[in-house]
């Protein structure tokens, strides 16, 4: 039996698994969950700020309210230990037939906008775990789906909140199926909901046998069927049976008294939504044959319209298994897709069909065609528009002008059209990379039928847009009105200087009223009403989620890379720090981004006036431990013209990191001999590449990354080329291939249940083995039950403990700026 206290002391800091060159190199340990220093715990444990949603306009005279939603903090590991099935790309709790992961709402409050009167919603179960909340079209009721109640009932229950009294009551006898997400939607009369329910008498779940019936066989007979690397897939016939059992729903119309009217037959129903006039249901259902290589989104899909009163069914399409879609940008399903109701008509179905078979590499004058089909769905479809660029989105309006957006990845093109009678009007054309010239996106609101529509001026001549307002001085969000006849745009509201204000919702189109979320580095987010010519009227008074804790302030650095590309980073320094104190050990965090132009790559993101809102993966808490933190450090990877960004990925990566360190050192705050680099996912991939190809860092922290690109051979991140088309790119970009060059101490962290495409835990496992075999200093921490993003409090706190221990040993105590070690730009 090892004496672990002695082992850890020999290794140099609490928690090291692999000692740097002793006989304990292969030692394993199973530590209990640890917590980082109290100052980090205080920041990370803070609850998220409340979120608000505004009631629909409803009927004339109805009071406008906001619903205040308080989300849970970090859940306990026991929540993640609840039963979970991982099938067909889904994760769900078989006990509840609902979500197994994610934060939930713990409490609700209602506040009247006119007088500020606030009431806590009463009548909900004790220790409620609310997943889905929705206003009724008339603004008088709110539907709530709860996954836990005081009686201990398993399953998802439906509750209705009366907005005037703030009292909630359960709709009896309703068992919801939330495997595919939100199970319910309000109908236009605000008296009924259309829901996916668990079929009555479905019996017991299939039992998995330990004795196989035979082998699992897959084959491909000459067809081109490329595919990304997915997780949580079906593996055998038993998986298919279990998936069918839990994913099968009965669509029903539910009344407030619990009456239920079945619509159509049970099926593996992904979506069910009522027409604006309430007469029909649009139902999308998966069916066999399933795939063991693809998630449910690509399974065969049947789309039908069902008349609610008679039950008559009109099949609109039956899509085959989509296993031949190219794994590249702008590739789509062949045949009809994107089915939805037209929001501004009683019962009209909208869909899109590709003119290029779904393959953007094919020449096509018409890339996508938009179609409409009116009730009773027996006639021919009519064309709404033909698009030369791939369809992106559609926004309906009550004035019968449709906003259509097109996008093309190759040159980052973005086009916005206004479609009504006659030829479409081009309102905007530019690059979706160009944040400085982004016109914004249409502001939507719920209409009387409960469907989203664009908010337009009272005369219908203009549409309200909301934008980030990116600029060289940082984001300055705005509200503008765009003329639907010619695309001219005029700002009617913009964030005040010295604050970060975001237009949360347009409350009234005339006279204009906007609900604004306002914050500053010292002022936590709160909501205000803005009216033209009037001062902001405060609506909420949420306290800082961090209590009396001293928060680090942000300084936006602007500097240049050696090739002239403009870069930026958010610098955080310890409270009370002065330059006379000397340069600090530094933690750099980044996530590389691809661009087509240097101009777009150099644009500033974010605002210096935002309140610091931390999340579980933030590097900012390390400021409390005496580090300078470079957060959101610019790492642009640019491929102008015919060049692909990744052709020079490594060179641009190192140059960007070098520039950030040089700027921090020039300012006198960064000790270039004590810098660590960290990243998550693609940022972890970046981290290990920087350690392999430069001598800039004393340590690295890589969380949940992919390090061997031959394991993602059909593309990764924004790389469209396959391994066989660009083997040299895959090889050079894979830090696993250069493990012999990595001599810098590396902390690897990965979630044991990673669900992200391509970042299988084996990526970290094999890199750890490679580095260990090369004599590297490396520690690998596998977090039980955690997915790609870490959720449980125990896991997150332990992660911070691991990171703090690693940084203390290999960065903070590695020697100061006067040390003889010299940080180099690139390895020979």
């Amino acid at each position: 039996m090892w004496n672990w206290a002695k082992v850890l002391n020999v290794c140099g800091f609490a928690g090291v698994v692999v000692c740097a060159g002793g006989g304990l190199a292969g030692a394993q340990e199973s530590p209990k969950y640890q917590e980082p220093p109290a100052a980090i715990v205080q920041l990370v444990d803070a609850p998220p700020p409340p979120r608000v949603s505004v009631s629909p306009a409803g009927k004339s005279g109805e009071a406008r309210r906001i619903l205040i939603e308080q989300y849970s903090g970090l859940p306990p590991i026991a929540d993640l230990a609840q039963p979970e099935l991982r099938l067909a790309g889904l994760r769900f709790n078989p006990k509840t037939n609902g979500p197994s992961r994610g934060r939930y709402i713990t409490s609700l409050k209602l506040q009247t906008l006119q007088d500020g009167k606030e009431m806590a919603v009463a009548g909900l179960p004790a220790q409620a775990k609310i997943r889905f909340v929705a206003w009724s079209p008339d603004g008088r009721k709110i539907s709530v789906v709860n996954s836990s109640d005081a009686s201990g009932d398993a399953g998802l229950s439906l509750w209705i909140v009366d907005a005037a009294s703030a009292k909630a009551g359960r709709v009896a006898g309703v068992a919801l199926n939330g495997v595919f997400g939100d199970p319910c939607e309000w109908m236009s009369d605000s008296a009924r909901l259309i829901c996916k329910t668990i079929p009555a008498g479905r019996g017991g779940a299939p039992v998995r046998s330990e004795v196989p019936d035979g082998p699992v066989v897959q084959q491909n007979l000459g067809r081109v069927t490329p595919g990304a690397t997915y997780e949580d897939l079906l593996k055998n016939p038993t998986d298919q049976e279990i998936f069918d059992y839990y994913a099968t729903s009965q669509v029903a119309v539910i009344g407030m008294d619990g009456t239920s009217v079945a619509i159509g037959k049970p099926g593996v129903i992904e979506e069910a939504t009522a027409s604006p006039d309430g007469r029909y249901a649009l139902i999308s259902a998966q069916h066999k044959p399933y795939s063991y290589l693809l998630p449910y989104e690509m399974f065969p899909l049947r789309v039908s319209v069902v008349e609610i009163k008679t039950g008559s069914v009109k099949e609109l399409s039956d899509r085959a298994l989509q296993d031949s879609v190219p794994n590249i940008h702008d590739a789509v399903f062949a045949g009809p897709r994107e089915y939805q109701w037209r929001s501004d008509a009683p019962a009209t179905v909208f869909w899109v069909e590709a003119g290029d078979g779904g393959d953007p590499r094919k020449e096509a004058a018409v890339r996508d065609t938009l179609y409409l089909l009116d009730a009773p769905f027996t006639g021919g479809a009519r064309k709404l528009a033909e698009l030369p660029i791939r369809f992106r989105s559609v926004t309906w309006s009550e004035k019968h002008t449709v906003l259509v957006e097109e996008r093309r990845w190759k040159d980052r093109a973005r086009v916005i059209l206004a479609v009504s009678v006659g030829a479409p009007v081009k309102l905007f054309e530019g690059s979706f990379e160009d944040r400085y010239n982004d016109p914004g996106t249409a502001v939507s609101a719920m209409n009387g039928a409960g469907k989203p529509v664009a908010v337009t001026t009272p005369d219908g001549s203009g549409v309200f847009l909301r934008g980030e307002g990116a600029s060289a001085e940082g984001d300055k969000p705005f509200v503008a009105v765009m003329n639907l006849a010619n695309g001219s745009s005029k700002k009617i509201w913009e964030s005040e200087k010295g604050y970060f204000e975001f237009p949360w919702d347009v409350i009234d189109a005339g006279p204009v009223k906007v609900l604004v979320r306002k914050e500053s580095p010292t002022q936590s987010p709160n909501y205000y009403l803005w009216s033209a010519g009037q001062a902001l009227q405060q609506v909420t008074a949420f306290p800082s989620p961090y209590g009396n804790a001293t928060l680090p302030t942000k300084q936006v650095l602007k500097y240049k890379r050696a090739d002239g590309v403009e870069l930026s980073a958010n610098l955080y320094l310890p409270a009370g720090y002065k330059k006379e104190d000397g340069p600090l050990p530094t933690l750099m965090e980044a996530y590389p981004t691809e661009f087509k132009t240097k101009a777009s790559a150099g644009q500033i993101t974010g605002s210096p006036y935002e309140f610091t809102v931390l999340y579980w993966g933030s590097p900012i808490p390390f400021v409390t431990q005496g580090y300078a933190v470079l957060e959101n450090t610019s790492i642009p990877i640019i491929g102008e013209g015919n060049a692909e960004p990744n052709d020079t990925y490594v060179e641009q990566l190192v140059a960007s990191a070098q520039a950030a360190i040089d700027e921090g050192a020039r300012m006198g705050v960064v000790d270039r001999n004590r810098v660590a680099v960290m990243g998550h996912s693609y940022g972890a991939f970046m981290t290990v590449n920087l350690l392999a190809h430069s001598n800039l860092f004393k340590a690295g922290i890589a969380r949940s990354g992919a390090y061997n690109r031959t394991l993602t051979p059909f593309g990764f991140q924004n790389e469209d080329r396959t391994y066989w088309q660009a083997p040299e790119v895959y090889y050079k970009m894979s830090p696993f291939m250069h493990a012999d060059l990595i001599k810098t101490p590396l902390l690897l962290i990965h979630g044991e249940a990673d669900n992200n495409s391509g970042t299988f835990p084996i990526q970290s496992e094999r890199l750890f083995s490679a580095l260990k075999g090369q004599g590297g200093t490396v520690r690998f921490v596998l977090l039980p039950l955690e997915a790609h993003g870490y959720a449980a409090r125990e896991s997150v706190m332990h992660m911070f403990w691991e990171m703090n221990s690693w940084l203390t040993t290999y960065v903070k105590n590695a020697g100061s700026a006067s040390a003889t070690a010299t940080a180099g730009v690139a390895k020979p």
Side-chain angles (χ1 to χ4, degrees):
M1 192 81 177
W2 285 101
N3 182 333
W4 279 111
K6 184 176 180 180
V7 169
L8 295 180
N9 184 54
V10 170
C11 287
F13 76 90
V16 172
V17 171
V18 182
C19 298
L24 300 173
Q28 305 296 314
E29 61 171 315
S30 298
K32 301 294 185 182
Y33 287 112
Q34 303 292 319
E35 289 199 356
I40 293 180
V41 172
Q42 183 179 9
L43 294 180
V44 177
D45 252 347
R51 289 177 59 86
V52 308
S53 63
V54 184
S55 65
K59 298 180 180 179
S60 177
E62 184 67 26
R64 300 297 298 276
R65 298 179 173 88
I66 59 171
L67 179 67
I68 302 170
E69 305 166 3
Q70 180 60 63
Y71 279 79
S72 62
L74 294 169
I77 194 71
D79 275 16
L80 270 64
Q82 291 295 307
E84 180 179 65
L85 291 176
R86 306 170 189 173
L87 299 170
L90 290 166
R91 293 186 173 187
F92 55 90
N93 186 332
K95 290 178 63 177
T96 65
N97 246 95
S100 56
R101 294 173 181 265
R103 293 196 182 188
Y104 41 81
I105 299 168
T106 57
S107 66
L108 298 171
K109 294 180 181 179
L110 281 159
Q111 184 174 336
T112 308
L113 282 176
Q114 184 176 1
D115 57 14
K117 182 181 178 182
E118 182 182 286
M119 294 185 292
V121 172
L124 289 170
Q127 299 178 332
K129 293 184 177 180
I130 299 165
R131 296 285 188 176
F132 309 106
V133 174
W135 284 97
S136 62
D138 64 6
R140 296 180 177 180
K141 292 182 283 294
I142 302 160
S143 62
V144 171
V145 177
N146 183 52
S147 59
S148 173
D149 64 26
S151 67
D153 291 348
L156 303 182
S157 54
L158 178 62
W159 298 70
I160 303 297
V161 178
D162 177 76
S165 64
K167 292 182 179 178
R170 182 172 180 173
V171 180
V174 178
L176 300 174
N177 190 334
V179 164
F180 288 107
D182 194 345
C184 291
E185 176 190 271
W186 283 99
M187 297 183 69
S188 55
D189 60 8
S190 295
R192 300 173 297 163
L193 297 103
I194 185 168
C195 298
K196 290 176 288 185
T197 65
I198 295 175
R202 71 174 177 177
V207 177
R208 197 181 295 277
S209 173
E210 297 300 323
V211 181
D213 294 327
V216 175
V217 177
Q218 302 180 64
Q219 69 176 7
N220 188 70
L221 302 178
R223 297 174 63 237
V224 177
T225 56
T229 51
Y230 297 104
E231 310 216 22
D232 301 338
L233 301 178
L234 301 176
K235 296 181 178 64
N236 51 54
T238 303
D239 278 356
Q240 294 190 61
E241 292 178 19
I242 296 172
F243 173 69
D244 277 343
Y245 176 84
Y246 287 103
T248 295
S249 296
Q250 171 66 65
V251 177
V253 173
I254 307 296
M256 298 296 96
D257 57 358
T259 55
S260 177
V261 178
I263 306 299
K265 297 180 180 179
V268 180
I269 296 167
E270 180 183 349
E271 186 175 16
T273 179
S275 60
D277 64 4
R279 293 182 59 194
Y280 301 92
L282 182 64
I283 296 177
S284 301
Q286 269 90 22
H287 63 84
K288 293 176 180 174
Y290 297 151
S291 170
Y292 294 168
L293 296 175
L294 299 170
Y296 76 92
E297 294 97 334
M298 297 180 181
F299 289 176
L301 184 74
R302 185 177 294 113
V303 180
S304 306
V305 173
V306 180
E307 187 173 10
I308 291 175
K309 186 175 182 180
T310 66
S312 63
V313 179
K314 170 65 176 178
E315 184 177 300
L316 299 179
S317 72
D318 191 357
R319 188 191 75 199
L321 177 69
Q322 296 296 302
D323 60 351
S324 59
V325 178
N327 190 40
I328 57 176
H329 288 89
D330 294 338
V332 296
F333 301 140
R337 69 183 198 278
E338 305 275 354
Y339 279 97
Q340 61 178 272
W341 290 111
R342 179 166 182 159
S343 298
D344 59 342
T348 297
V349 175
F350 163 86
W351 72 89
V352 186
E353 291 189 30
D356 56 8
D359 188 344
R361 297 169 297 191
K362 295 180 179 178
E363 293 295 329
V366 176
R367 192 66 61 185
D368 275 328
T369 302
L370 315 184
Y371 288 98
L372 297 170
L373 181 63
D374 301 318
F377 316 106
T378 54
R382 53 193 171 93
K383 291 182 181 179
L384 176 64
E386 293 182 331
L387 308 179
I389 301 177
R390 184 69 76 209
F391 169 81
R392 174 77 175 189
S393 65
V394 62
T395 306
W396 312 99
S397 80
E398 295 289 75
K399 304 300 181 180
H400 303 295
T401 296
V402 185
L403 294 178
V404 175
E405 182 167 333
E406 307 168 86
R407 286 198 180 189
R408 181 173 55 224
W409 172 259
K410 185 177 181 180
D411 57 358
R412 312 304 196 262
R414 180 190 183 196
V415 175
I416 301 175
L417 304 173
V419 182
S420 54
V421 178
V425 176
K426 186 179 290 184
L427 302 178
F428 172 81
E429 183 172 14
S431 168
F432 61 78
E433 267 187 359
D434 184 5
R435 299 181 72 250
Y436 287 1
N437 293 295
D438 178 12
T441 56
V443 179
S444 293
M446 185 187 291
N447 66 7
K451 304 296 182 185
V453 292
V455 178
T456 57
T457 55
D459 64 0
S461 65
V463 61
F464 285 83
L465 302 178
R466 170 173 49 200
E468 294 286 350
S471 72
E473 290 74 44
D475 289 353
K476 294 185 288 186
F478 65 87
V479 174
V481 173
M482 177 179 280
N483 188 299
L484 290 170
N486 56 30
S488 62
S489 185
K490 180 181 179 181
K491 290 181 181 178
I492 61 172
W493 175 88
E494 188 174 41
S495 179
E496 181 184 351
K497 187 175 181 180
Y499 293 90
F500 181 75
E501 298 174 335
F502 185 79
W504 198 253
D505 215 336
V506 175
I507 303 296
D508 201 329
V512 180
K513 290 184 180 180
V514 181
L515 184 67
V516 173
R517 188 187 66 196
K518 180 177 182 177
E519 59 192 83
S520 75
T522 58
Q523 179 178 313
S524 60
N526 269 291
Y527 294 84
Y528 297 74
L529 271 178
W530 174 86
S531 301
Q534 299 183 20
L536 285 178
Q537 174 189 343
Q538 188 164 354
V539 174
T540 64
F542 304 139
S544 169
Y546 307 110
N548 296 324
T550 302
L551 289 178
T553 55
K554 178 170 67 176
Q555 178 181 351
V556 178
L557 306 185
K558 302 176 186 179
Y559 50 97
K560 288 185 179 182
R561 204 163 70 181
D563 59 1
V565 175
E566 299 278 352
L567 302 177
S568 64
N570 298 327
L571 173 65
Y572 293 86
L573 297 170
Y577 170 80
K578 302 182 296 295
K579 286 187 179 180
E580 299 80 61
D581 298 333
L584 297 171
T586 300
L587 176 60
M588 176 193 296
E589 179 270 341
Y591 190 95
T593 306
E594 296 86 348
F595 293 92
K596 283 303 293 180
T597 68
K598 290 182 179 180
S600 295
Q603 293 183 351
I604 299 293
T605 61
S607 167
Y609 304 117
E610 291 175 282
F611 183 74
T612 301
V613 176
L614 304 178
Y615 73 105
W616 64 265
S618 174
I620 299 172
F622 288 100
V623 173
T624 66
Q625 304 306 300
Y627 294 91
V629 172
L630 291 170
E631 183 243 11
N632 195 26
T633 308
S634 293
I635 307 284
I637 310 297
I638 306 164
E640 293 193 303
N642 293 325
E644 292 293 336
N646 286 339
D647 290 345
T648 53
Y649 171 85
V650 168
E651 293 82 358
Q652 296 190 65
L653 192 69
V654 174
S656 297
Q658 175 74 55
I661 294 172
D662 286 349
E663 176 63 14
R666 184 196 65 77
M667 295 175 63
V669 299
V670 169
D671 180 349
R672 66 167 66 251
N673 293 291
R674 292 190 296 164
V675 181
V677 60
M678 66 163 282
H680 191 89
S681 193
Y682 203 56
F685 174 72
M686 168 209 73
T687 294
V688 185
N689 263 308
L690 282 169
L691 300 191
H693 299 292
S694 79
N695 294 312
L696 295 168
F697 301 100
K698 282 292 184 183
I701 300 171
R703 300 187 315 222
S704 298
Y707 311 108
N708 182 349
R709 285 305 171 191
T710 67
L711 299 179
T712 56
F714 286 100
F716 58 90
Q717 200 68 6
N718 288 315
E719 177 57 66
D720 278 343
R721 294 168 294 183
T722 68
Y723 167 76
W724 299 275
Q725 292 171 323
E728 68 288 347
V729 171
Y730 277 68
Y731 179 86
K732 186 175 181 180
M733 289 183 66
S734 295
F736 178 85
M737 308 302 181
H738 311 287
D740 58 322
L741 300 178
I742 301 174
K743 306 304 180 184
T744 305
L746 174 62
L747 173 62
L748 290 168
I749 304 175
H750 216 116
E752 168 267 330
D754 196 319
N755 58 337
N756 184 57
S757 176
T759 54
F760 297 94
I762 195 174
Q763 292 272 6
S764 290
E765 293 168 7
R766 300 317 301 161
L767 181 61
F768 171 71
S769 293
L771 295 174
K772 181 170 66 73
Q774 296 292 332
T777 300
V778 60
R779 177 176 172 86
F780 175 35
V781 179
L782 190 65
L783 298 173
L785 305 175
E786 292 294 347
H788 192 60
Y790 313 150
R793 183 183 184 278
E794 291 88 339
S795 301
V796 172
M797 292 302 178
H798 188 87
M799 177 200 73
F800 275 103
W801 177 80
E802 294 277 1
M803 293 170 65
N804 186 62
S805 299
W806 198 256
L807 293 171
T808 299
T809 301
Y810 294 111
V811 180
K812 181 181 285 187
N813 296 333
S816 67
S818 61
T820 57
T822 301
V825 176
K827 291 186 176 179

